[in-house]
Amino acid sequence: MGLFRKRTNLLITSALLGLISLPSMGVIGINNLARAEQADTNAATQKTPDVKPAELIPSYPASAPPRRIDPLPDERDIQERTIETDYRVSNLLGDFAGNLWVGSWRGLSRIDPKTGKILARVSLPNLAIGALAQDKVGRLWVGTYEGLMRVEPRTNEITAQNLFLPSKRVLSLLTDKRGYLWVGTDNGLALVSPDQGLIMTTVKNLPGVSANTLTLDADGQLWVGTLDGVVRINTASALVMKRINDLPGSTVQALAISPEGLIWAGMPNNLLVINPKNGIVLRSVARLRGRNVTAVRFAKDGSVWVGTNNGLLRLNPNTGAVLDEVAGLPSSRVLSIVPDVAGKLWIGTSEGLAWLMPKMDKARPHLAFSRAVK
């Protein structure tokens, strides 16, 4: 019986230390223990070696503990349960047929701007949409953070793809007066044939590197907002014609050309009005100083809409005076603006899509692109 106790104690000690595996506790009953005692009696000739308790304690090398993994498993579970859908609407485009294309981080949709009804949803391999443009025959071009795609609006199918750009991260798109597509990336600018989807040329060593935003002037030449000012590109030769740098704030992230031909440049801390001929800054709009300007668009009535990280304003372009400050947006962080589509101003924000009509006291959210409807 003493031998049985010793073996039993050794068995339990080993199990607690994780050195051996035991069957389910429900299996070990009185009969099993009796058989074990009988087996010990029959095997009296076998001697169990004495094991010192210190020999059963695992030892570790004298080294630092393993590196902490962030977040820890219990924290990671909380983090995963709190991840929410990204509702930002980063790009808007009114097409030739009067439709509105909505580029959000949940995909690409086409809506009827008169009724707000969703007409189609396009399945894209990458949902992070950086830019939208339409070519002269009505095909839609979608710049994503994984390349460039062409969508046929009649079938909503992807009909061409180009992944051989200066960078796959497309930030801006524009169709010039000849019908060619300019593609701005975070590592330069490319000219693409819209029929074949092939690169015709690239702008080597673009000053300011990143083509954040694009616009055309009255002469049909391309202006590019970069990390270091603005650059004018000859659309026929793809050569740099002019460079305006040393601007306060340097990075240009929104561009628009006024009816008078002046450059309005939105920057992380300013809104500047620039004379394109001599590069002189004519005005720094007082109400926008210190504010992050993300979008600038001129409306048909001549006023200029300015989106910021903290609200949407309508300005008098001659004086810079604020005419309206829009309330009721899904978020004060404005990402894109399209005026005069079905008589409405459409606003993309970090929390969804909204619209505004003249004489409305505040903007209204489009529920299909907000957190109200998932």
Side-chain angles (χ1 to χ4, degrees):
M1 193 64 180
L3 181 60
F4 168 70
R5 287 197 184 96
K6 180 181 288 188
R7 285 179 59 85
T8 302
N9 291 339
L10 178 60
L11 185 68
I12 294 172
T13 302
S14 301
L16 289 173
L17 291 171
L19 301 176
I20 64 175
S21 59
L22 285 175
S24 169
M25 290 304 294
V27 178
I28 301 179
I30 297 176
N31 292 337
N32 291 26
L33 290 174
R35 284 197 295 271
E37 184 174 358
Q38 174 119 16
D40 281 340
T41 304
N42 294 339
T45 56
Q46 298 179 0
K47 183 177 180 180
T48 302
D50 293 330
V51 179
K52 297 178 181 180
E55 295 175 353
L56 296 176
I57 300 174
S59 59
Y60 295 99
S63 60
R67 294 179 59 186
R68 173 186 170 96
I69 300 175
D70 291 323
L72 293 175
D74 56 337
E75 297 170 342
R76 188 180 300 120
D77 179 62
I78 295 172
Q79 189 180 73
E80 288 173 352
R81 284 188 278 112
T82 57
I83 289 176
E84 296 178 334
T85 305
D86 195 326
Y87 284 88
R88 80 182 74 179
V89 173
S90 53
N91 285 271
L92 297 169
L93 176 71
D95 68 13
F96 303 148
N99 300 309
L100 180 70
W101 290 89
V102 181
S104 75
W105 282 43
R106 293 189 296 155
L108 178 65
S109 304
R110 178 164 50 95
I111 71 173
D112 182 344
K114 295 178 182 177
T115 63
K117 180 181 178 182
I118 296 177
L119 302 175
R121 293 186 187 272
V122 181
S123 178
L124 298 176
N126 185 282
L127 297 183
I129 296 175
L132 295 173
Q134 190 174 28
D135 63 26
K136 286 203 166 184
V137 296
R139 295 167 299 200
L140 191 74
W141 289 87
V142 185
T144 76
Y145 288 1
E146 292 294 331
L148 177 67
M149 285 170 282
R150 187 180 69 197
V151 174
E152 174 53 59
R154 289 172 294 185
T155 61
N156 301 311
E157 295 179 342
I158 297 171
T159 56
Q161 201 164 0
N162 192 318
L163 305 178
F164 301 100
L165 300 164
S167 165
K168 288 184 180 180
R169 190 180 178 93
V170 178
L171 304 178
S172 54
L173 291 172
L174 183 143
T175 303
D176 67 20
K177 290 187 174 181
R178 302 173 302 159
Y180 293 113
L181 182 71
W182 291 89
V183 183
T185 76
D186 63 355
N187 192 34
L189 188 65
L191 180 63
V192 171
S193 165
D195 293 326
Q196 290 82 28
L198 301 176
I199 292 179
M200 299 172 64
T201 187
T202 58
V203 177
K204 305 294 184 182
N205 303 316
L206 176 70
V209 183
S210 180
N212 301 326
T213 178
L214 306 174
T215 192
L216 283 180
D217 61 23
D219 297 328
Q221 307 300 355
L222 184 71
W223 286 90
V224 186
T226 74
L227 298 176
D228 188 23
V230 292
V231 179
R232 193 185 192 207
I233 303 291
N234 187 308
T235 51
S237 63
L239 297 176
V240 175
M241 301 173 68
K242 183 186 288 289
R243 181 182 183 186
I244 303 173
N245 54 3
D246 296 326
L247 299 174
S250 70
T251 298
V252 176
Q253 53 196 21
L255 270 183
I257 303 290
S258 74
E260 297 78 27
L262 301 178
I263 300 171
W264 287 62
M267 314 184 80
N269 62 351
N270 223 328
L271 176 61
L272 304 179
V273 182
I274 305 168
N275 184 330
K277 295 181 179 179
N278 54 24
I280 294 175
V281 176
L282 301 177
R283 184 192 310 137
S284 170
V285 180
R287 281 291 300 272
L288 277 304
R289 289 173 193 162
R291 296 179 71 169
N292 188 348
V293 178
T294 54
V296 182
R297 293 293 296 268
F298 281 86
K300 288 180 180 178
D301 64 5
S303 62
V304 57
W305 289 98
V306 180
T308 75
N309 260 17
N310 189 26
L312 174 65
L313 303 92
R314 185 168 71 96
L315 306 181
N316 181 322
N318 300 315
T319 64
V322 175
L323 302 175
D324 292 298
E325 195 154 359
V326 179
L329 297 172
S331 164
S332 61
R333 186 183 173 198
V334 177
L335 304 177
S336 53
I337 308 168
V338 174
D340 306 308
V341 177
K344 302 180 181 74
L345 171 74
W346 294 88
I347 310 111
T349 77
S350 60
E351 289 291 328
L353 178 66
W355 56 276
L356 180 70
M357 292 183 69
K359 299 182 180 180
M360 285 175 55
D361 59 343
K362 63 180 181 179
R364 305 286 172 84
H366 191 302
L367 296 181
F369 297 92
S370 71
R371 293 186 187 276
V373 179
K374 295 185 179 182

